[in-house]
C-alpha cells in the first residue's frame, strides 16, 4: 500500500529528552504495528472486492443458461441447460490443471505460461486464490458463448471436448498474450510493448468475447444450419424462434447484473489512490467503468429497438436483448479508459454492427441460434477498434501506469499506434482461434462426433438424448391437449 507510515528512532530521540532512545524505539514500534495493520486491511479489502466480482461473473453463467434456454425450441431445453452446467464444471477442472498456468504462469518468450500447473507453488507474490477464481469465471464465460452458436444439433460428447480444450488451452493462451505481464502484446509489459503501448483490452472484448464468438462461428459453419432453418429451394430464411421470451429477458438481466463484476471487477483492486491525500482514486475509475458499461448497453438496446422496428415493423424484445448484450460486449475492451459520452458512441455503432452481421449471416445461410458469433465476435471486434479511436491518455496512464508519450485514441489526437495494436489483436485472435477450434471441430466432424442424426434433431434432443422433455404439461382440456400434440409434431 502506498503512503506507508515511516518512523526513525534516531530522528525522534532528539525531540524526547531523557530516555529518548527507548521512548523513540517504542513509539516507532507501535507505529510500525499500526502500519502493518493498514497494509493487512488493504489486502483484505482488495481480495474481498475481487472475490465479490468473481461471484458476479460466475452468476453470469445462470444468465447464459436462461438466455440459451429461452432462445432454443422447447424440445432442446434440457440439452442446452446441461451444456451450460458442464461448461462450468469441465472448465473448472481443466482451468485448474492447465489453463491458469498457460495464462498467468510466467513465460520467457511471451507466448504461453509454464508455471503453476494445478496451482502448484501458489499463491504467488502477485496472485492469490481470489485471482484464480476470477480468471476461471472469465474462462467459462468464453465457453458459454460458443455453446450458443452450435445449439440444437450438436452431440453431447462434442460439447465436453470443445469446452475442455477451449478453457484448458485456447483461451488461456490468448489471455496470456494480452493480460499477463510478460505477454508479447500486453500493455502491462515493462519494456518492448507492441507499438509502444500494447493492445488495450481491459476486460476482454477480444480475449473473451471474440474467442468465444469465433470458436462458435467455426462450429456452426462446419456443422451447417439446423434442419428447416433455410428453404432447400431458393434458400429463404425461416425463423426457428426460441420458445420463451421470458427466459431470454431473465437471462439478459442476469448478464447485465454480472457485467458489473466483469468490467469494474477487472481492476482487481479498489484501494488504490491515484494522488496521495486525494478523494480521487481507483474507486473513481471503477465507478466510471460501471457508468460507461451501462451507457453503452442502454444505447445499443434503444438503437436496436428502433432499427429493427424500421426493418421488420415489430418491437421485438429478443432483438433488443441481443442489442443490449452487443453494447456490453463492445464496451468491455475500453470501459475503463473512455469518457461516458464515448460509451454512447460505442453502443450505437455496436447495434449497427450486430444488425449488419445478422443480415450477412442470413444472406450466407449461416445459422447461429443465439447470434453468438455475430454478437460476441462482431461487436467484440468493434470494441477493440473503438479503443484505438477513443481511449483517453489520462485514463490509460491511471489504469496501466504512467508512461511518457503513451499512444492513445486516434480521434483524440493520440496518433494511430494504439489503433494499430488493436487491429493486430483482432487479426491474431481470429487466426489463433480459427487454427485451433476450427481444426478441432473439423476433426470431430470427420470422426462423426459433432452433429446428431437428422432423426434425433427433428424429434429433439431432450427426448432422444436426455430421457424426456423439460416441461410436463398437465391439461385436462381435450382441445388444448390436441393443440400441444400438433405443436410437437410440427416441431
Amino acid at each position: 500500500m502506498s503512503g506507508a507510515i515511516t518512523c526513525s528512532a534516531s530522528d525522534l530521540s532528539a525531540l524526547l529528552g531523557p530516555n529518548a532512545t527507548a521512548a523513540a524505539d517504542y513509539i516507532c514500534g507501535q507505529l510500525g504495528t499500526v502500519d502493518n495493520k493498514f497494509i493487512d486491511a488493504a489486502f483484505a479489502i482488495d481480495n474481498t472486492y475481487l472475490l465479490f466480482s468473481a461471484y458476479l461473473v460466475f452468476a453470469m453463467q445462470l444468465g447464459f443458461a436462461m438466455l440459451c434456454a429461452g432462445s432454443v425450441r422447447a424440445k432442446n431445453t434440457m440439452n442446452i441447460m446441461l451444456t451450460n452446467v458442464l461448461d462450468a464444471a469441465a472448465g473448472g477442472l481443466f482451468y485448474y490443471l492447465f489453463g491458469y498456468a498457460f495464462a498467468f504462469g510466467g513465460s520467457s518468450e511471451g507466448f504461453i505460461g509454464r508455471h503453476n500447473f494445478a496451482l502448484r507453488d501458489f499463491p504467488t507474490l502477485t496472485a492469490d486464490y481470489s485471482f484464480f477464481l476470477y480468471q476461471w469465471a472469465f474462462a467459462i464465460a468464453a465457453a458459454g458463448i460458443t455453446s450458443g452458436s452450435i445449439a440444437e444439433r450438436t452431440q453431447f460428447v462434442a460439447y465436453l471436448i470443445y469446452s475442455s480444450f477451449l478453457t484448458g488451452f485456447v483461451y488461456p493462451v490468448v489471455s496470456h498474450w494480452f493480460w499477463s505481464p510478460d505477454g508479447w502484446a500486453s500493455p502491462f509489459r515493462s519494456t518492448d510493448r507492441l507499438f509502444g503501448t500494447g493492445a488495450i483490452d481491459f476486460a476482454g472484448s477480444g480475449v473473451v468475447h471474440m474467442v468465444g464468438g469465433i470458436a462458435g462461428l467455426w462450429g456452426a459453419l462446419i456443422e451447417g444450419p439446423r434442419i428447416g432453418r433455410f428453404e432447400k429451394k431458393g434458400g429463404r430464411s425461416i425463423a426457428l424462434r426460441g420458445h420463451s421470451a421470458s427466459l431470454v429477458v431473465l437471462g439478459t438481466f442476469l448478464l447485465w447484473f454480472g457485467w458489473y463484476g466483469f468490467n469494474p471487477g477487472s481492476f482487481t483492486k479498489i484501494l488504490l489512490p491515484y494522488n496521495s491525500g486525494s478523494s480521487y482514486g481507483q474507486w473513481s475509475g471503477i465507478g466510471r467503468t460501471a457508468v460507461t458499461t451501462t451507457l453503452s448497453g442502454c444505447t445499443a438496446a434503444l438503437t436496436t429497438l428502433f432499427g429493427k422496428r424500421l426493418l421488420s415493423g415489430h418491437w421485438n424484445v429478443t432483438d433488443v436483448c441481443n442489442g443490449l448484450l452487443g453494447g456490453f460486449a463492445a464496451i468491455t475492451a475500453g470501459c475503463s479508459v473512455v469518457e461516458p459520452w464515448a460509451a454512447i458512441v460505442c453502443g450505437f455503432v455496436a447495434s449497427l454492427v450486430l444488425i449488419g452481421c445478422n443480415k450477412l449471416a442470413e444472406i450466407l445461410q449461416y445459422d447461429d441460434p443465439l447470434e453468438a458469433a455475430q454478437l460476441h465476435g462482431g461487436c467484440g471486434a468493434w470494441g477493440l477498434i473503438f479503443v484505438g479511436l477513443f481511449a483517453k491518455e489520462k485514463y490509460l496512464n491511471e489504469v496501466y501506469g504512467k508512461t511518457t508519450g503513451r499512444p492513445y485514441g486516434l480521434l483524440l489526437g493520440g496518433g494511430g499506434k494504439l489503433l494499430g495494436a488493436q487491429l493486430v489483436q483482432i487479426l491474431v485472435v481470429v487466426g489463433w482461434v480459427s487454427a485451433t477450434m476450427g481444426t478441432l471441430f473439423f476433426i470431430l466432424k470427420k470422426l462423426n462426433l459433432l452433429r446428431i442424426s437428422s432423426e434425433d434433431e427433428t424429434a429433439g434432443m431432450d427426448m432422444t438424448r436426455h430421457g424426456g422433455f423439460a416441461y410436463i404439461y398437465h391439461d385436462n382440456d381435450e382441445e388444448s391437449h390436441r393443440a400441444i400434440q400438433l405443436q410437437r409434431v410440427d416441431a
Side-chain angles (χ1 to χ4, degrees):
M1 185 178 72
S2 60
I5 300 172
T6 58
C7 180
S8 170
S10 59
D11 293 338
L12 191 60
S13 61
L15 306 174
L16 296 177
N19 299 318
T21 301
D25 286 339
Y26 175 77
I27 293 173
C28 285
Q30 294 301 306
L31 288 175
T33 300
V34 172
D35 186 39
N36 289 335
K37 293 292 185 182
F38 278 125
I39 293 174
D40 293 342
F43 281 123
I45 292 170
D46 286 337
N47 272 275
T48 301
Y49 173 72
L50 186 56
L51 278 172
F52 179 72
S53 299
Y55 303 152
L56 285 177
V57 177
F58 179 70
M60 295 176 78
Q61 290 301 118
L62 178 57
F64 278 125
M66 296 298 100
L67 182 69
C68 289
S71 299
V72 301
R73 290 164 290 179
K75 63 184 181 181
N76 294 309
T77 305
M78 287 179 64
N79 174 264
I80 197 68
M81 296 283 277
L82 183 57
T83 61
N84 277 270
V85 173
L86 288 176
D87 280 338
L93 185 60
F94 279 85
Y95 197 75
Y96 162 76
L97 291 174
F98 310 107
Y100 183 84
F102 290 147
F104 298 101
S107 68
S108 56
E109 73 290 335
F111 177 77
I112 188 171
R114 53 183 181 172
H115 301 288
N116 305 125
F117 289 99
L119 295 187
R120 185 178 180 182
D121 299 323
F122 195 84
T124 66
L125 293 176
T126 57
D128 208 331
Y129 289 107
S130 56
F131 184 73
F132 166 81
L133 192 74
Y134 189 68
Q135 295 302 330
W136 160 72
F138 269 61
I140 60 175
I145 292 168
T146 305
S147 67
S149 295
I150 56 178
E152 298 201 283
R153 61 206 191 273
T154 306
Q155 290 191 46
F156 193 67
V157 66
Y159 279 113
L160 287 174
I161 294 172
Y162 98 76
S163 181
S164 302
F165 186 59
L166 183 67
T167 55
F169 179 66
V170 178
Y171 165 83
V173 170
V174 177
S175 58
H176 183 81
W177 293 347
F178 301 106
W179 287 347
S180 174
D182 51 8
W184 65 268
S186 172
F188 299 104
R189 289 180 68 94
S190 57
T191 59
D192 299 325
R193 296 193 190 103
L194 179 66
F195 297 145
T197 171
I200 302 297
D201 187 6
F202 181 71
S205 288
V207 173
V208 178
H209 294 283
M210 279 193 69
V211 168
I214 299 302
L217 173 68
W218 281 106
L221 279 175
I222 292 172
E223 275 194 308
R226 291 167 292 172
I227 295 172
R229 180 65 176 86
F230 299 99
E231 287 186 344
K232 292 183 179 179
K233 293 183 178 180
R236 185 175 67 89
S237 173
I238 301 173
L240 301 179
R241 297 191 181 280
H243 79 281
S244 176
S246 301
L247 288 177
V248 170
V249 173
L250 175 61
T252 300
F253 272 112
L254 286 169
L255 288 169
W256 188 341
F257 179 64
W259 235 291
Y260 292 125
F262 204 93
N263 286 3
S266 290
F267 279 90
T268 70
K269 296 180 179 180
I270 190 171
L271 199 60
L272 181 65
Y274 292 145
N275 297 304
S276 180
S278 170
S279 61
Y280 179 70
Q282 192 131 292
W283 49 87
S284 306
I286 289 170
R288 183 183 66 248
T289 297
V291 170
T292 57
T293 300
T294 302
L295 290 176
S296 181
C298 292
T299 304
L302 292 174
T303 305
T304 305
L305 174 69
F306 291 105
K308 294 295 286 188
R309 168 69 175 178
L310 292 174
L311 293 173
S312 66
H314 301 292
W315 306 102
N316 191 307
V317 65
T318 303
D319 290 335
V320 172
C321 288
N322 282 339
L324 177 82
L325 298 176
F328 288 151
I331 195 61
T332 295
C335 54
S336 65
V337 295
V338 299
E339 292 281 9
W341 65 262
I344 295 175
V345 177
C346 180
F348 178 78
V349 176
S351 173
L352 302 182
V353 169
L354 179 59
I355 292 172
C357 287
N358 282 333
K359 189 63 178 177
L360 180 62
E362 186 177 319
I363 294 172
L364 298 177
Q365 297 190 19
Y366 169 78
D367 181 23
D368 186 326
L370 275 89
E371 302 176 6
Q374 301 95 300
L375 193 160
H376 298 277
C379 294
W382 154 242
L384 292 175
I385 295 172
F386 165 76
V387 175
L389 299 175
F390 290 97
K392 188 173 181 178
E393 183 180 21
K394 174 187 175 183
Y395 297 153
L396 285 168
N397 284 327
E398 289 173 353
V399 175
Y400 293 98
K402 191 169 184 179
T403 299
T404 303
R406 177 190 289 278
Y408 54 99
L410 175 65
L411 297 184
L412 301 184
K417 288 186 177 181
L418 178 56
L419 179 59
Q422 303 303 100
L423 293 174
V424 168
Q425 178 174 357
I426 293 173
L427 292 175
V428 297
V429 168
V430 171
W432 170 252
V433 178
S434 298
T436 51
M437 296 303 296
T439 301
L440 175 66
F441 282 123
F442 180 77
I443 293 172
L444 290 174
K445 181 178 181 179
K446 289 299 182 182
L447 295 175
N448 293 320
L449 295 175
L450 186 58
R451 185 159 185 159
I452 61 175
S453 67
S454 58
E455 292 81 8
D456 286 357
E457 185 176 345
T458 302
M461 283 189 285
D462 285 2
M463 180 58 72
T464 60
R465 299 297 178 107
H466 303 289
F469 291 116
Y471 305 105
I472 300 176
Y473 296 96
H474 295 288
D475 197 328
N476 294 324
D477 182 72
E478 186 176 347
E479 184 177 348
S480 298
H481 182 70
R482 280 202 303 268
I484 292 170
Q485 294 300 319
L486 287 173
Q487 288 177 359
R488 289 178 176 175
V489 171
D490 292 339

